[in-house]
PDB file of all heavy atoms in Angstrom:
ATOM      1  N   ILE A 222      18.557   2.257   7.497  1.00  0.00           N
ATOM      2  CA  ILE A 222      17.935   2.695   8.770  1.00  0.00           C
ATOM      3  C   ILE A 222      18.876   2.490   9.921  1.00  0.00           C
ATOM      4  O   ILE A 222      19.017   3.357  10.782  1.00  0.00           O
ATOM      5  CB  ILE A 222      16.580   2.018   8.951  1.00  0.00           C
ATOM      6  CG1 ILE A 222      15.581   2.426   7.853  1.00  0.00           C
ATOM      7  CG2 ILE A 222      15.988   2.294  10.324  1.00  0.00           C
ATOM      8  CD1 ILE A 222      14.350   1.594   7.689  1.00  0.00           C
ATOM      9  N   ASP A 223      19.599   1.354   9.921  1.00  0.00           N
ATOM     10  CA  ASP A 223      20.598   1.144  10.986  1.00  0.00           C
ATOM     11  C   ASP A 223      21.707   2.205  10.925  1.00  0.00           C
ATOM     12  O   ASP A 223      22.161   2.647  11.920  1.00  0.00           O
ATOM     13  CB  ASP A 223      21.256  -0.230  10.829  1.00  0.00           C
ATOM     14  CG  ASP A 223      20.232  -1.368  11.088  1.00  0.00           C
ATOM     15  OD1 ASP A 223      19.260  -1.176  11.774  1.00  0.00           O
ATOM     16  OD2 ASP A 223      20.481  -2.498  10.567  1.00  0.00           O
ATOM     17  N   LYS A 224      22.131   2.477   9.704  1.00  0.00           N
ATOM     18  CA  LYS A 224      23.249   3.336   9.528  1.00  0.00           C
ATOM     19  C   LYS A 224      22.891   4.826   9.864  1.00  0.00           C
ATOM     20  O   LYS A 224      23.663   5.525  10.567  1.00  0.00           O
ATOM     21  CB  LYS A 224      23.726   3.260   8.053  1.00  0.00           C
ATOM     22  CG  LYS A 224      24.942   4.024   7.735  1.00  0.00           C
ATOM     23  CD  LYS A 224      25.458   3.661   6.325  1.00  0.00           C
ATOM     24  CE  LYS A 224      26.615   4.592   5.903  1.00  0.00           C
ATOM     25  NZ  LYS A 224      27.027   4.159   4.534  1.00  0.00           N
ATOM     26  N   HIS A 225      21.788   5.300   9.302  1.00  0.00           N
ATOM     27  CA  HIS A 225      21.464   6.760   9.468  1.00  0.00           C
ATOM     28  C   HIS A 225      20.438   7.062  10.512  1.00  0.00           C
ATOM     29  O   HIS A 225      20.288   8.239  10.936  1.00  0.00           O
ATOM     30  CB  HIS A 225      20.918   7.271   8.119  1.00  0.00           C
ATOM     31  CG  HIS A 225      21.812   7.073   6.922  1.00  0.00           C
ATOM     32  ND1 HIS A 225      22.997   7.777   6.807  1.00  0.00           N
ATOM     33  CD2 HIS A 225      21.741   6.225   5.850  1.00  0.00           C
ATOM     34  CE1 HIS A 225      23.582   7.413   5.690  1.00  0.00           C
ATOM     35  NE2 HIS A 225      22.868   6.454   5.096  1.00  0.00           N
ATOM     36  N   GLY A 226      19.703   6.047  10.951  1.00  0.00           N
ATOM     37  CA  GLY A 226      18.544   6.310  11.831  1.00  0.00           C
ATOM     38  C   GLY A 226      17.352   6.624  10.977  1.00  0.00           C
ATOM     39  O   GLY A 226      17.426   7.132   9.871  1.00  0.00           O
ATOM     40  N   ILE A 227      16.161   6.359  11.591  1.00  0.00           N
ATOM     41  CA  ILE A 227      14.937   6.511  10.783  1.00  0.00           C
ATOM     42  C   ILE A 227      14.608   8.009  10.488  1.00  0.00           C
ATOM     43  O   ILE A 227      14.063   8.337   9.460  1.00  0.00           O
ATOM     44  CB  ILE A 227      13.714   5.811  11.503  1.00  0.00           C
ATOM     45  CG1 ILE A 227      12.535   5.714  10.616  1.00  0.00           C
ATOM     46  CG2 ILE A 227      13.367   6.531  12.821  1.00  0.00           C
ATOM     47  CD1 ILE A 227      12.693   4.807   9.437  1.00  0.00           C
ATOM     48  N   GLY A 228      15.079   8.893  11.375  1.00  0.00           N
ATOM     49  CA  GLY A 228      14.805  10.319  11.150  1.00  0.00           C
ATOM     50  C   GLY A 228      15.520  10.818   9.891  1.00  0.00           C
ATOM     51  O   GLY A 228      14.894  11.461   9.045  1.00  0.00           O
ATOM     52  N   ARG A 229      16.784  10.469   9.727  1.00  0.00           N
ATOM     53  CA  ARG A 229      17.530  10.902   8.609  1.00  0.00           C
ATOM     54  C   ARG A 229      16.986  10.221   7.342  1.00  0.00           C
ATOM     55  O   ARG A 229      16.896  10.878   6.276  1.00  0.00           O
ATOM     56  CB  ARG A 229      18.993  10.587   8.800  1.00  0.00           C
ATOM     57  CG  ARG A 229      19.940  10.922   7.729  1.00  0.00           C
ATOM     58  CD  ARG A 229      20.516  12.328   7.847  1.00  0.00           C
ATOM     59  NE  ARG A 229      21.301  12.637   6.622  1.00  0.00           N
ATOM     60  CZ  ARG A 229      20.826  13.245   5.551  1.00  0.00           C
ATOM     61  NH1 ARG A 229      19.584  13.673   5.525  1.00  0.00           N
ATOM     62  NH2 ARG A 229      21.572  13.495   4.515  1.00  0.00           N
ATOM     63  N   VAL A 230      16.648   8.966   7.431  1.00  0.00           N
ATOM     64  CA  VAL A 230      16.083   8.259   6.319  1.00  0.00           C
ATOM     65  C   VAL A 230      14.801   8.927   5.849  1.00  0.00           C
ATOM     66  O   VAL A 230      14.618   9.098   4.585  1.00  0.00           O
ATOM     67  CB  VAL A 230      15.834   6.735   6.615  1.00  0.00           C
ATOM     68  CG1 VAL A 230      14.939   6.093   5.596  1.00  0.00           C
ATOM     69  CG2 VAL A 230      17.205   5.996   6.688  1.00  0.00           C
ATOM     70  N   MET A 231      13.936   9.350   6.751  1.00  0.00           N
ATOM     71  CA  MET A 231      12.692   9.987   6.328  1.00  0.00           C
ATOM     72  C   MET A 231      13.030  11.339   5.641  1.00  0.00           C
ATOM     73  O   MET A 231      12.350  11.708   4.641  1.00  0.00           O
ATOM     74  CB  MET A 231      11.765  10.170   7.492  1.00  0.00           C
ATOM     75  CG  MET A 231      11.106   8.855   7.952  1.00  0.00           C
ATOM     76  SD  MET A 231      10.419   7.862   6.610  1.00  0.00           S
ATOM     77  CE  MET A 231       9.122   8.930   5.973  1.00  0.00           C
ATOM     78  N   ASP A 232      13.995  12.106   6.192  1.00  0.00           N
ATOM     79  CA  ASP A 232      14.396  13.318   5.550  1.00  0.00           C
ATOM     80  C   ASP A 232      14.846  13.092   4.077  1.00  0.00           C
ATOM     81  O   ASP A 232      14.450  13.797   3.138  1.00  0.00           O
ATOM     82  CB  ASP A 232      15.562  13.959   6.257  1.00  0.00           C
ATOM     83  CG  ASP A 232      15.149  14.582   7.613  1.00  0.00           C
ATOM     84  OD1 ASP A 232      13.931  14.750   7.829  1.00  0.00           O
ATOM     85  OD2 ASP A 232      16.052  14.912   8.438  1.00  0.00           O
ATOM     86  N   MET A 233      15.634  12.022   3.903  1.00  0.00           N
ATOM     87  CA  MET A 233      16.151  11.674   2.575  1.00  0.00           C
ATOM     88  C   MET A 233      15.011  11.209   1.634  1.00  0.00           C
ATOM     89  O   MET A 233      14.950  11.618   0.511  1.00  0.00           O
ATOM     90  CB  MET A 233      17.237  10.634   2.636  1.00  0.00           C
ATOM     91  CG  MET A 233      18.521  11.168   3.294  1.00  0.00           C
ATOM     92  SD  MET A 233      19.945  10.031   3.158  1.00  0.00           S
ATOM     93  CE  MET A 233      19.601   8.826   4.420  1.00  0.00           C
ATOM     94  N   ALA A 234      14.149  10.413   2.172  1.00  0.00           N
ATOM     95  CA  ALA A 234      13.036   9.853   1.355  1.00  0.00           C
ATOM     96  C   ALA A 234      12.110  10.982   0.887  1.00  0.00           C
ATOM     97  O   ALA A 234      11.730  11.075  -0.256  1.00  0.00           O
ATOM     98  CB  ALA A 234      12.257   8.801   2.161  1.00  0.00           C
ATOM     99  N   LEU A 235      11.747  11.807   1.861  1.00  0.00           N
ATOM    100  CA  LEU A 235      10.818  12.934   1.501  1.00  0.00           C
ATOM    101  C   LEU A 235      11.474  13.999   0.695  1.00  0.00           C
ATOM    102  O   LEU A 235      10.876  14.635  -0.148  1.00  0.00           O
ATOM    103  CB  LEU A 235      10.171  13.510   2.796  1.00  0.00           C
ATOM    104  CG  LEU A 235       9.313  12.519   3.551  1.00  0.00           C
ATOM    105  CD1 LEU A 235       8.935  13.053   4.941  1.00  0.00           C
ATOM    106  CD2 LEU A 235       8.048  12.154   2.777  1.00  0.00           C
ATOM    107  N   GLY A 236      12.791  14.160   0.876  1.00  0.00           N
ATOM    108  CA  GLY A 236      13.557  15.071   0.032  1.00  0.00           C
ATOM    109  C   GLY A 236      13.633  14.645  -1.395  1.00  0.00           C
ATOM    110  O   GLY A 236      13.539  15.489  -2.319  1.00  0.00           O
ATOM    111  N   TRP A 237      13.737  13.323  -1.562  1.00  0.00           N
ATOM    112  CA  TRP A 237      13.764  12.737  -2.945  1.00  0.00           C
ATOM    113  C   TRP A 237      12.465  13.023  -3.674  1.00  0.00           C
ATOM    114  O   TRP A 237      12.434  13.371  -4.850  1.00  0.00           O
ATOM    115  CB  TRP A 237      13.995  11.241  -2.845  1.00  0.00           C
ATOM    116  CG  TRP A 237      13.921  10.471  -4.141  1.00  0.00           C
ATOM    117  CD1 TRP A 237      12.838   9.795  -4.600  1.00  0.00           C
ATOM    118  CD2 TRP A 237      14.962  10.377  -5.131  1.00  0.00           C
ATOM    119  NE1 TRP A 237      13.146   9.227  -5.799  1.00  0.00           N
ATOM    120  CE2 TRP A 237      14.427   9.558  -6.193  1.00  0.00           C
ATOM    121  CE3 TRP A 237      16.264  10.860  -5.278  1.00  0.00           C
ATOM    122  CZ2 TRP A 237      15.145   9.202  -7.329  1.00  0.00           C
ATOM    123  CZ3 TRP A 237      16.968  10.496  -6.414  1.00  0.00           C
ATOM    124  CH2 TRP A 237      16.437   9.733  -7.383  1.00  0.00           C
TER     125      TRP A 237
END
Side-chain angles (χ1 to χ4, degrees):
I222 293 166
D223 293 338
K224 185 171 173 181
H225 302 291
I227 192 67
R229 178 91 186 93
V230 163
M231 287 313 294
D232 287 347
M233 291 189 282
L235 295 169
W237 174 261

